[in-house]
Amino acid sequence: IERQAGARPGRPRRGERGERGVFVEGRMPGTETNQGGAKVQPEHMKLYYGRLFPHQTMYKWLAYGNDYARSKHPKADRSFFSRREFCFTLDGDIFVRYQSFKDAEEMEAAIKQKCPAKIDIGPVYNVDPRKRAAYSGGSGGDLSGAGGLRAFQPVERELVFDIDMDDYDDFLNYTHKDHGWEKCWALMAVAIRVLDRGLREDFGFEHIFFVFSGRRGIHCWVCDKRARMMTDEQRAAVANYFSLCRGREGGKAKVMLTSPRHPSVQRAAEILEPIFVDEMLPAQGLLDTSESWEKILEYIPDDDVCDKLRERWQNGRRSSTSAVEDVNKSRWLELCKEVDRCVGRTKDPMKRRQLAKCKDEIVFAYTYPKLDIEVSKKRNHLLKAPFCVHPKTGRVCVPIDPERAEDFDPDRDAPTIFQLLEELDSGAERTSMSENVELFEDLFLKGLSRSTQEELAAKTREAVGMAVDF
């Protein structure tokens, strides 16, 4: 067991390969407290994995129809599931990589025995991860190693995205860290809508699901065969396609927009603008105080417009005809009008373009999804499994319906392990977990299963046709 300096407690570092039996510095998962003050203990996890965790559902997803013992298709790959990597985080913040299982029963037995505080899912490798030492390179490399030995390398992995609420903090007056989800869940909901439509309409993916991370963000899994077979370069290209906000420059976010709008940006703007104006402006008070409005005025490339708005707002004047209209929304309308007037009277083509897109830059800087693209770029990256229990909050990582993302309330709809165990103790026939597993199956798994069966059937027909031709 090795001690790994600088790693984040309770999880492998992002983009890291790691080795089996790596020890990560930090507090034991059992010592972290949730928002209600209770601690997630090993005995809680034992009950959870024994009575609530959907082992069979997880296996059905990750096998992709390749359950050789039950599959009716001779083209099912009996080694497929055994080549999938799992990583267990155990008590003492020990995480053990390159775990693999031959079938659902072996996976369930291992989870129940070890009761991991967290389960991460890795890629499907070209060989069983437990046998990686027998192959050249040990943890990746070229297609063939010295002496002609095959290298150990990932060959398939879902395309994944990770969005963390902390990455929005520089734009918010009321952050999740200090004020909870009430004033900022709209940002996660709109991120789901933008990603879901972009992945489906621009890339043609169908088998997509979103999961609440259990604490401060969301994960997206794209499970189409075409997505799973992407190279690292292709994954990076898709991630960059959705990465319009790239760091900060000159005191403001660097937003990669063009004028006129790209069709994908146009679609995103139609989703983002109502959320920014009707929800984020008033909820966050983005134009309430000089400290907040100065951050927004940074995006306007005309000093006269900024001075005029600044003077009006400092004097408390507003052009709204409604005395009850939120001051933030009223000031935003004033800003838009002043910018539009300036565009109309500006003759310099470059400045006109800058002015024409500055309103979009503000909306996108504050509301467009802020992806951790490093999570998406590499096939060997680990990501927390759905239905895990977050060790710090005790909340379960549950699926989110993208069509109703704005109605999802993490504090209400993501049950805690303590709530679930109380439901079991009460003798309830169904628990909150049952509802979430059914949602996962209805929204995602049933359609995926039909697709994988069709793929296997097509392979069988192709093989039969080739045999007849021969």
Side-chain angles (χ1 to χ4, degrees), residues 2 53 119 131 152 168 178 188 215 220 260 292 294 300 309 317 341 369 392 402 422 426 461-462 469:
E2 302 173 359
F53 187 78
I119 302 171
K131 301 175 182 177
F152 174 68
Y168 292 77
D178 295 329
M188 293 292 101
R215 187 184 185 192
C220 172
S292 293
E294 287 298 335
I300 301 177
L309 292 170
R317 298 199 306 272
R341 291 191 188 107
K392 291 188 176 182
E422 286 177 2
S426 70
R461 289 192 298 269
E462 182 181 354
D469 290 341

Side-chain angles (χ1 to χ4, degrees), residues 442-457:
D442 291 341
L443 286 179
F444 164 74
L445 190 55
K446 290 179 181 178
L448 177 69
S449 297
R450 287 192 296 269
S451 178
T452 54
Q453 292 303 307
E454 289 169 2
E455 290 173 6
L456 290 170

Side-chain angles (χ1 to χ4, degrees), residues 4 9 23 30 110 178 283 323 327 356 449:
Q4 190 171 41
F23 183 98
D178 295 329
V327 66
S449 297

Side-chain angles (χ1 to χ4, degrees), residues 92-196:
D93 279 355
I94 299 170
F95 68 92
V96 187
R97 289 201 63 170
Y98 304 117
Q99 303 294 290
S100 61
F101 314 104
K102 70 176 183 180
D103 53 28
E105 289 71 27
E106 188 172 292
M107 178 187 73
E108 181 173 350
I111 291 174
K112 288 180 177 179
Q113 177 192 3
K114 297 179 180 179
C115 288
K118 182 164 69 79
I119 302 171
D120 287 290
I121 298 174
V124 177
Y125 286 91
N126 55 339
V127 295
D128 186 332
R130 290 178 293 188
K131 301 175 182 177
R132 69 193 184 282
Y135 293 83
S136 175
S139 60
D142 298 328
L143 289 174
S144 61
L149 294 175
R150 281 172 44 183
F152 174 68
Q153 63 177 6
V155 294
E156 184 171 324
R157 202 263 191 279
E158 296 79 11
L159 175 63
V160 295
F161 299 90
D162 180 13
I163 302 178
D164 193 317
M165 196 66 233
D166 286 359
D167 292 332
Y168 292 77
D169 283 358
D170 290 343
F171 302 89
L172 304 180
N173 291 327
Y174 302 96
T175 64
H176 167 258
K177 185 188 308 180
D178 295 329
H179 299 275
W181 283 113
E182 183 180 358
K183 292 182 180 292
C184 51
W185 175 255
L187 290 169
M188 293 292 101
V190 82
I192 290 173
R193 291 175 59 195
V194 169
L195 264 182
D196 189 60

Side-chain angles (χ1 to χ4, degrees), residues 169-417:
D169 283 358
D170 290 343
F171 302 89
L172 304 180
N173 291 327
Y174 302 96
T175 64
H176 167 258
K177 185 188 308 180
D178 295 329
H179 299 275
W181 283 113
E182 183 180 358
K183 292 182 180 292
C184 51
W185 175 255
L187 290 169
M188 293 292 101
V190 82
I192 290 173
R193 291 175 59 195
V194 169
L195 264 182
D196 189 60
R197 287 193 59 184
L199 289 166
R200 295 180 190 277
E201 297 177 20
D202 297 346
F203 292 93
F205 295 129
E206 298 178 10
H207 306 297
I208 305 166
F209 70 90
F210 293 85
V211 179
F212 174 55
S213 70
R215 187 184 185 192
R216 60 190 180 200
I218 56 173
H219 298 157
C220 172
W221 296 75
V222 186
C223 303
D224 299 64
K225 180 71 171 180
R226 184 162 51 89
R228 305 197 314 265
M229 299 304 294
M230 279 182 168
T231 65
D232 288 351
E233 292 76 16
Q234 291 169 332
R235 292 165 192 269
V238 175
N240 286 326
Y241 179 85
F242 287 106
S243 299
L244 297 184
C245 300
R246 302 184 183 179
R248 299 180 69 84
E249 185 177 76
K252 60 182 182 179
K254 188 176 181 181
V255 186
M256 311 301 291
L257 297 178
T258 59
S259 182
R261 292 170 172 171
H262 183 275
S264 65
V265 173
Q266 175 64 34
R267 181 185 59 233
E270 292 170 1
I271 298 172
L272 298 174
E273 285 174 358
I275 298 297
F276 177 76
V277 174
D278 296 329
E279 297 195 40
M280 298 313 300
L281 279 170
Q284 291 290 333
L286 297 179
L287 293 174
D288 254 348
T289 65
S290 60
E291 183 179 359
S292 293
W293 72 55
E294 287 298 335
K295 294 179 181 178
I296 287 181
L297 294 180
E298 286 283 347
Y299 292 86
I300 301 177
D302 187 277
D303 290 340
D304 290 339
V305 171
C306 292
D307 290 342
K308 184 179 294 186
L309 292 170
R310 191 179 290 117
E311 180 184 5
R312 183 180 298 164
W313 296 344
Q314 286 173 342
N315 293 331
R317 298 199 306 272
R318 55 195 292 182
S319 60
S320 172
T321 57
S322 172
V324 297
E325 183 178 20
D326 179 81
V327 66
N328 297 278
K329 295 172 67 173
S330 173
R331 287 173 175 173
W332 175 252
L333 292 176
E334 292 173 354
L335 181 152
C336 292
K337 289 177 182 177
E338 290 298 334
V339 169
D340 290 343
R341 291 191 188 107
C342 190
V343 171
R345 63 176 178 262
T346 299
K347 297 181 179 180
D348 182 346
M350 181 175 293
K351 186 171 182 180
R352 280 177 62 89
R353 286 194 296 269
Q354 292 174 337
L355 282 163
K357 68 178 183 178
C358 73
K359 293 182 294 182
D360 280 351
E361 287 179 336
I362 296 169
V363 172
F364 277 71
Y366 278 78
T367 59
Y368 190 80
K370 293 173 174 45
L371 305 178
D372 181 351
I373 63 171
E374 297 304 316
V375 172
S376 307
K377 288 163 61 173
K378 299 291 185 180
R379 283 175 294 183
N380 65 345
H381 189 88
L382 300 174
L383 191 65
K384 183 165 48 183
F387 301 110
C388 277
V389 175
H390 196 288
K392 291 188 176 182
T393 65
R395 293 198 179 277
V396 179
C397 303
V398 296
I400 302 169
D401 183 351
E403 294 296 324
R404 303 182 61 187
E406 65 278 3
D407 298 327
F408 184 84
D409 181 346
D411 297 325
R412 178 195 65 208
D413 299 323
T416 67
I417 188 172

